[in-house]
Amino acid sequence: MLHHLQLSNTGPAPALQLELAPRLNLITGDNSLGKSFLLDVAWYCLTRRWPQELNPGLNGGAMAQPTQRTQAAEISFSVDGESDPNQAKTYHCSFNLEEEAWIGQAGRPVNPGLVVYAMADGAFAVWDSARNAWKRKGVVDTPEKTRAYVFSSRQVWSGLPNPQSDLGSLCNGLVQDWANWQRENGEAFSQLRAVLNRLSPDAVRPLRPGPLVRISRQDTQDYPTLMSPAGHAVPLPHWSSGVKRIIGLAYLLVWAWQEHVKASDLLARPPARQMIFLVDEVEAHLHPTWQRQVVKALMEVVDNLNQHTAVQLLLVTHSPLVMASVEPLFDPVRDRWWDLDWSEANQQVELTLRPFNRYGDANNWLRSEAFDQADTGSLEREAILRRARQLIQSGAEASAEDVAAMHCELQTVLGATDVFWNRWHFEASRHGWQQ
């Protein structure tokens, strides 16, 4: 597991430090404060390569740079590996300006097990201890020692070419693999169906595979389908962005695990005892119905891959519904919530480990430190309510014209059952206002 992460002179703040929980780590914060950056750094610490280094076609995952090039930039972290699961080792990397690279200490890095990174735009990266592990001891930690599988969003579907050979691919891609698994009707397809079923929004609308179909006379590919609520077999390319997000997650988890098990068998050793799963914007493209259950579903899916494999999750979210949905699951012993904020006083980004209070619903989460919203409605509603409260404070001194005008304004932003009407009518009665 990744236990500790510390950054100096790189990223959105002069220094950031995280002590990570062994099971679930939630990361919140406004745009541009460094949530995705933290996941990129976590991936680098576990694999020693930045995602964009391995696949220049990615939109994100670029190598971190020093904030001030006149000062030392450092990344330190502690992680335990497959050989010593309870013995965390600490590593330090510094940025070398001449080599334009992060340089770590000599020696073979720790083997972190299976690492899966789901990026917000549909790209994925997989590092497999049975396929990507460093091969030799006693050598300097260089990028050549790790060749993870890094997919652009398009390559998730069409496959990942092998840069070392013109023969074959590193991965066939979602469309072809799914079709092959379905024809074989073996363990991989059974696992895919189980994962899709668990990630479905509800029992009424299960993500259920249908028959393979052709979608064009000029295309010889057999395309997988999902059954629509109306009972039609709809090819995967024709589904919505939200469904594609879910089936992408399902496919990559099954593909990564199946390939890891096969590679482990060839090495005559058991599968990894630990897995680290990084997910950026876990709610991306998902309707609120799906947001309310996606974290619980993902936790159950990765736990069910292998009962002997411990799983650590780092999840970034912008969704108050996601935070509310985690309340029944959150264990303060095994889980943590990290929040990024802009400090006006210090004029810098600050990372805070917050106590996970149960706020009850999405509206209360919107008002919490996670999202810092003064009101849960429109900006116009917020402004009108602020003026209405000021008018209430003036009490009997408020003019009849001001009261009447405010009443009309409230009618434009408040529904008939809004609780603020109770206060407004009470104050009107108390002060003798005519409405």
PDB file of all heavy atoms in Angstrom, residues 391 398-411 424 433-435:
ATOM      1  N   LEU A 391     -33.644  42.552   4.996  1.00  0.00           N
ATOM      2  CA  LEU A 391     -34.910  43.276   5.185  1.00  0.00           C
ATOM      3  C   LEU A 391     -35.585  42.829   6.480  1.00  0.00           C
ATOM      4  O   LEU A 391     -36.150  43.660   7.226  1.00  0.00           O
ATOM      5  CB  LEU A 391     -35.830  43.028   3.985  1.00  0.00           C
ATOM      6  CG  LEU A 391     -37.120  43.858   3.911  1.00  0.00           C
ATOM      7  CD1 LEU A 391     -36.782  45.349   3.757  1.00  0.00           C
ATOM      8  CD2 LEU A 391     -37.989  43.409   2.747  1.00  0.00           C
ATOM      9  N   ALA A 398     -38.902  48.539   7.864  1.00  0.00           N
ATOM     10  CA  ALA A 398     -38.987  48.267   6.428  1.00  0.00           C
ATOM     11  C   ALA A 398     -40.223  48.925   5.842  1.00  0.00           C
ATOM     12  O   ALA A 398     -41.312  48.892   6.420  1.00  0.00           O
ATOM     13  CB  ALA A 398     -39.039  46.763   6.188  1.00  0.00           C
ATOM     14  N   SER A 399     -40.060  49.524   4.667  1.00  0.00           N
ATOM     15  CA  SER A 399     -41.194  50.202   4.029  1.00  0.00           C
ATOM     16  C   SER A 399     -42.099  49.180   3.345  1.00  0.00           C
ATOM     17  O   SER A 399     -41.670  48.072   2.983  1.00  0.00           O
ATOM     18  CB  SER A 399     -40.686  51.201   2.988  1.00  0.00           C
ATOM     19  OG  SER A 399     -40.105  50.524   1.889  1.00  0.00           O
ATOM     20  N   ALA A 400     -43.359  49.571   3.168  1.00  0.00           N
ATOM     21  CA  ALA A 400     -44.319  48.694   2.510  1.00  0.00           C
ATOM     22  C   ALA A 400     -43.888  48.391   1.080  1.00  0.00           C
ATOM     23  O   ALA A 400     -44.082  47.277   0.579  1.00  0.00           O
ATOM     24  CB  ALA A 400     -45.702  49.340   2.524  1.00  0.00           C
ATOM     25  N   GLU A 401     -43.304  49.414   0.418  1.00  0.00           N
ATOM     26  CA  GLU A 401     -42.856  49.205  -0.963  1.00  0.00           C
ATOM     27  C   GLU A 401     -41.724  48.175  -1.026  1.00  0.00           C
ATOM     28  O   GLU A 401     -41.710  47.306  -1.907  1.00  0.00           O
ATOM     29  CB  GLU A 401     -42.379  50.521  -1.561  1.00  0.00           C
ATOM     30  CG  GLU A 401     -43.474  51.549  -1.794  1.00  0.00           C
ATOM     31  CD  GLU A 401     -43.871  52.265  -0.503  1.00  0.00           C
ATOM     32  OE1 GLU A 401     -43.190  52.066   0.538  1.00  0.00           O
ATOM     33  OE2 GLU A 401     -44.872  53.009  -0.533  1.00  0.00           O
ATOM     34  N   ASP A 402     -40.776  48.245  -0.075  1.00  0.00           N
ATOM     35  CA  ASP A 402     -39.658  47.292  -0.064  1.00  0.00           C
ATOM     36  C   ASP A 402     -40.156  45.868   0.216  1.00  0.00           C
ATOM     37  O   ASP A 402     -39.686  44.904  -0.386  1.00  0.00           O
ATOM     38  CB  ASP A 402     -38.621  47.685   0.995  1.00  0.00           C
ATOM     39  CG  ASP A 402     -37.833  48.920   0.585  1.00  0.00           C
ATOM     40  OD1 ASP A 402     -37.834  49.244  -0.616  1.00  0.00           O
ATOM     41  OD2 ASP A 402     -37.206  49.544   1.473  1.00  0.00           O
ATOM     42  N   VAL A 403     -41.097  45.756   1.140  1.00  0.00           N
ATOM     43  CA  VAL A 403     -41.636  44.433   1.475  1.00  0.00           C
ATOM     44  C   VAL A 403     -42.359  43.840   0.277  1.00  0.00           C
ATOM     45  O   VAL A 403     -42.178  42.663  -0.058  1.00  0.00           O
ATOM     46  CB  VAL A 403     -42.573  44.530   2.692  1.00  0.00           C
ATOM     47  CG1 VAL A 403     -43.304  43.210   2.901  1.00  0.00           C
ATOM     48  CG2 VAL A 403     -41.788  44.913   3.949  1.00  0.00           C
ATOM     49  N   ALA A 404     -43.174  44.637  -0.390  1.00  0.00           N
ATOM     50  CA  ALA A 404     -43.927  44.139  -1.545  1.00  0.00           C
ATOM     51  C   ALA A 404     -42.983  43.737  -2.673  1.00  0.00           C
ATOM     52  O   ALA A 404     -43.166  42.696  -3.325  1.00  0.00           O
ATOM     53  CB  ALA A 404     -44.915  45.201  -2.027  1.00  0.00           C
ATOM     54  N   ALA A 405     -41.950  44.557  -2.909  1.00  0.00           N
ATOM     55  CA  ALA A 405     -40.992  44.248  -3.966  1.00  0.00           C
ATOM     56  C   ALA A 405     -40.239  42.955  -3.645  1.00  0.00           C
ATOM     57  O   ALA A 405     -40.010  42.108  -4.522  1.00  0.00           O
ATOM     58  CB  ALA A 405     -40.017  45.405  -4.154  1.00  0.00           C
ATOM     59  N   MET A 406     -39.849  42.797  -2.377  1.00  0.00           N
ATOM     60  CA  MET A 406     -39.124  41.582  -1.992  1.00  0.00           C
ATOM     61  C   MET A 406     -40.020  40.354  -2.116  1.00  0.00           C
ATOM     62  O   MET A 406     -39.572  39.285  -2.534  1.00  0.00           O
ATOM     63  CB  MET A 406     -38.606  41.727  -0.556  1.00  0.00           C
ATOM     64  CG  MET A 406     -37.865  40.496  -0.046  1.00  0.00           C
ATOM     65  SD  MET A 406     -36.521  39.968  -1.171  1.00  0.00           S
ATOM     66  CE  MET A 406     -35.433  41.392  -1.067  1.00  0.00           C
ATOM     67  N   HIS A 407     -41.282  40.478  -1.766  1.00  0.00           N
ATOM     68  CA  HIS A 407     -42.209  39.356  -1.907  1.00  0.00           C
ATOM     69  C   HIS A 407     -42.286  38.897  -3.359  1.00  0.00           C
ATOM     70  O   HIS A 407     -42.278  37.690  -3.643  1.00  0.00           O
ATOM     71  CB  HIS A 407     -43.597  39.751  -1.393  1.00  0.00           C
ATOM     72  CG  HIS A 407     -44.545  38.603  -1.319  1.00  0.00           C
ATOM     73  ND1 HIS A 407     -44.559  37.716  -0.266  1.00  0.00           N
ATOM     74  CD2 HIS A 407     -45.512  38.181  -2.184  1.00  0.00           C
ATOM     75  CE1 HIS A 407     -45.493  36.806  -0.477  1.00  0.00           C
ATOM     76  NE2 HIS A 407     -46.088  37.078  -1.636  1.00  0.00           N
ATOM     77  N   CYS A 408     -42.347  39.856  -4.270  1.00  0.00           N
ATOM     78  CA  CYS A 408     -42.380  39.499  -5.703  1.00  0.00           C
ATOM     79  C   CYS A 408     -41.081  38.823  -6.133  1.00  0.00           C
ATOM     80  O   CYS A 408     -41.093  37.857  -6.907  1.00  0.00           O
ATOM     81  CB  CYS A 408     -42.628  40.750  -6.541  1.00  0.00           C
ATOM     82  SG  CYS A 408     -44.285  41.451  -6.352  1.00  0.00           S
ATOM     83  N   GLU A 409     -39.947  39.315  -5.636  1.00  0.00           N
ATOM     84  CA  GLU A 409     -38.663  38.705  -5.993  1.00  0.00           C
ATOM     85  C   GLU A 409     -38.572  37.280  -5.458  1.00  0.00           C
ATOM     86  O   GLU A 409     -38.069  36.369  -6.146  1.00  0.00           O
ATOM     87  CB  GLU A 409     -37.504  39.541  -5.438  1.00  0.00           C
ATOM     88  CG  GLU A 409     -37.249  40.829  -6.186  1.00  0.00           C
ATOM     89  CD  GLU A 409     -35.902  41.437  -5.798  1.00  0.00           C
ATOM     90  OE1 GLU A 409     -34.866  40.917  -6.290  1.00  0.00           O
ATOM     91  OE2 GLU A 409     -35.887  42.382  -5.000  1.00  0.00           O
ATOM     92  N   LEU A 410     -39.022  37.065  -4.228  1.00  0.00           N
ATOM     93  CA  LEU A 410     -38.983  35.719  -3.663  1.00  0.00           C
ATOM     94  C   LEU A 410     -39.808  34.740  -4.488  1.00  0.00           C
ATOM     95  O   LEU A 410     -39.451  33.572  -4.643  1.00  0.00           O
ATOM     96  CB  LEU A 410     -39.480  35.745  -2.212  1.00  0.00           C
ATOM     97  CG  LEU A 410     -38.544  36.400  -1.188  1.00  0.00           C
ATOM     98  CD1 LEU A 410     -39.240  36.565   0.156  1.00  0.00           C
ATOM     99  CD2 LEU A 410     -37.272  35.575  -1.022  1.00  0.00           C
ATOM    100  N   GLN A 411     -40.919  35.212  -5.026  1.00  0.00           N
ATOM    101  CA  GLN A 411     -41.763  34.332  -5.840  1.00  0.00           C
ATOM    102  C   GLN A 411     -41.071  33.875  -7.116  1.00  0.00           C
ATOM    103  O   GLN A 411     -41.420  32.832  -7.678  1.00  0.00           O
ATOM    104  CB  GLN A 411     -43.069  35.046  -6.181  1.00  0.00           C
ATOM    105  CG  GLN A 411     -44.017  35.198  -5.000  1.00  0.00           C
ATOM    106  CD  GLN A 411     -45.273  35.963  -5.371  1.00  0.00           C
ATOM    107  OE1 GLN A 411     -45.226  36.962  -6.118  1.00  0.00           O
ATOM    108  NE2 GLN A 411     -46.417  35.496  -4.870  1.00  0.00           N
ATOM    109  N   TRP A 424     -40.561  33.916   6.285  1.00  0.00           N
ATOM    110  CA  TRP A 424     -41.025  35.170   5.687  1.00  0.00           C
ATOM    111  C   TRP A 424     -42.429  35.531   6.179  1.00  0.00           C
ATOM    112  O   TRP A 424     -42.688  36.675   6.592  1.00  0.00           O
ATOM    113  CB  TRP A 424     -40.988  35.055   4.164  1.00  0.00           C
ATOM    114  CG  TRP A 424     -41.476  36.285   3.441  1.00  0.00           C
ATOM    115  CD1 TRP A 424     -42.665  36.445   2.797  1.00  0.00           C
ATOM    116  CD2 TRP A 424     -40.776  37.530   3.299  1.00  0.00           C
ATOM    117  NE1 TRP A 424     -42.769  37.699   2.254  1.00  0.00           N
ATOM    118  CE2 TRP A 424     -41.610  38.397   2.551  1.00  0.00           C
ATOM    119  CE3 TRP A 424     -39.549  38.004   3.728  1.00  0.00           C
ATOM    120  CZ2 TRP A 424     -41.245  39.695   2.224  1.00  0.00           C
ATOM    121  CZ3 TRP A 424     -39.178  39.304   3.396  1.00  0.00           C
ATOM    122  CH2 TRP A 424     -40.021  40.128   2.652  1.00  0.00           C
ATOM    123  N   TRP A 433     -46.441  43.508   8.241  1.00  0.00           N
ATOM    124  CA  TRP A 433     -46.199  43.811   6.826  1.00  0.00           C
ATOM    125  C   TRP A 433     -47.406  43.406   5.989  1.00  0.00           C
ATOM    126  O   TRP A 433     -48.014  42.351   6.191  1.00  0.00           O
ATOM    127  CB  TRP A 433     -44.975  43.067   6.293  1.00  0.00           C
ATOM    128  CG  TRP A 433     -43.684  43.533   6.912  1.00  0.00           C
ATOM    129  CD1 TRP A 433     -43.423  44.672   7.592  1.00  0.00           C
ATOM    130  CD2 TRP A 433     -42.448  42.794   6.867  1.00  0.00           C
ATOM    131  NE1 TRP A 433     -42.122  44.743   7.967  1.00  0.00           N
ATOM    132  CE2 TRP A 433     -41.477  43.595   7.538  1.00  0.00           C
ATOM    133  CE3 TRP A 433     -42.040  41.581   6.328  1.00  0.00           C
ATOM    134  CZ2 TRP A 433     -40.166  43.174   7.697  1.00  0.00           C
ATOM    135  CZ3 TRP A 433     -40.735  41.179   6.483  1.00  0.00           C
ATOM    136  CH2 TRP A 433     -39.808  41.966   7.158  1.00  0.00           C
ATOM    137  N   GLN A 434     -47.742  44.212   5.026  1.00  0.00           N
ATOM    138  CA  GLN A 434     -48.774  43.865   4.045  1.00  0.00           C
ATOM    139  C   GLN A 434     -48.086  43.263   2.816  1.00  0.00           C
ATOM    140  O   GLN A 434     -47.173  43.835   2.251  1.00  0.00           O
ATOM    141  CB  GLN A 434     -49.546  45.135   3.633  1.00  0.00           C
ATOM    142  CG  GLN A 434     -50.322  45.785   4.771  1.00  0.00           C
ATOM    143  CD  GLN A 434     -51.400  44.882   5.319  1.00  0.00           C
ATOM    144  OE1 GLN A 434     -52.104  44.196   4.564  1.00  0.00           O
ATOM    145  NE2 GLN A 434     -51.548  44.876   6.643  1.00  0.00           N
ATOM    146  N   GLN A 435     -48.518  42.063   2.389  1.00  0.00           N
ATOM    147  CA  GLN A 435     -47.891  41.368   1.253  1.00  0.00           C
ATOM    148  C   GLN A 435     -48.842  41.299   0.069  1.00  0.00           C
ATOM    149  O   GLN A 435     -50.030  41.237   0.244  1.00  0.00           O
ATOM    150  CB  GLN A 435     -47.474  39.959   1.668  1.00  0.00           C
ATOM    151  CG  GLN A 435     -46.505  39.947   2.858  1.00  0.00           C
ATOM    152  CD  GLN A 435     -46.174  38.535   3.279  1.00  0.00           C
ATOM    153  OE1 GLN A 435     -45.841  37.680   2.477  1.00  0.00           O
ATOM    154  NE2 GLN A 435     -46.321  38.261   4.568  1.00  0.00           N
TER     155      GLN A 435
END
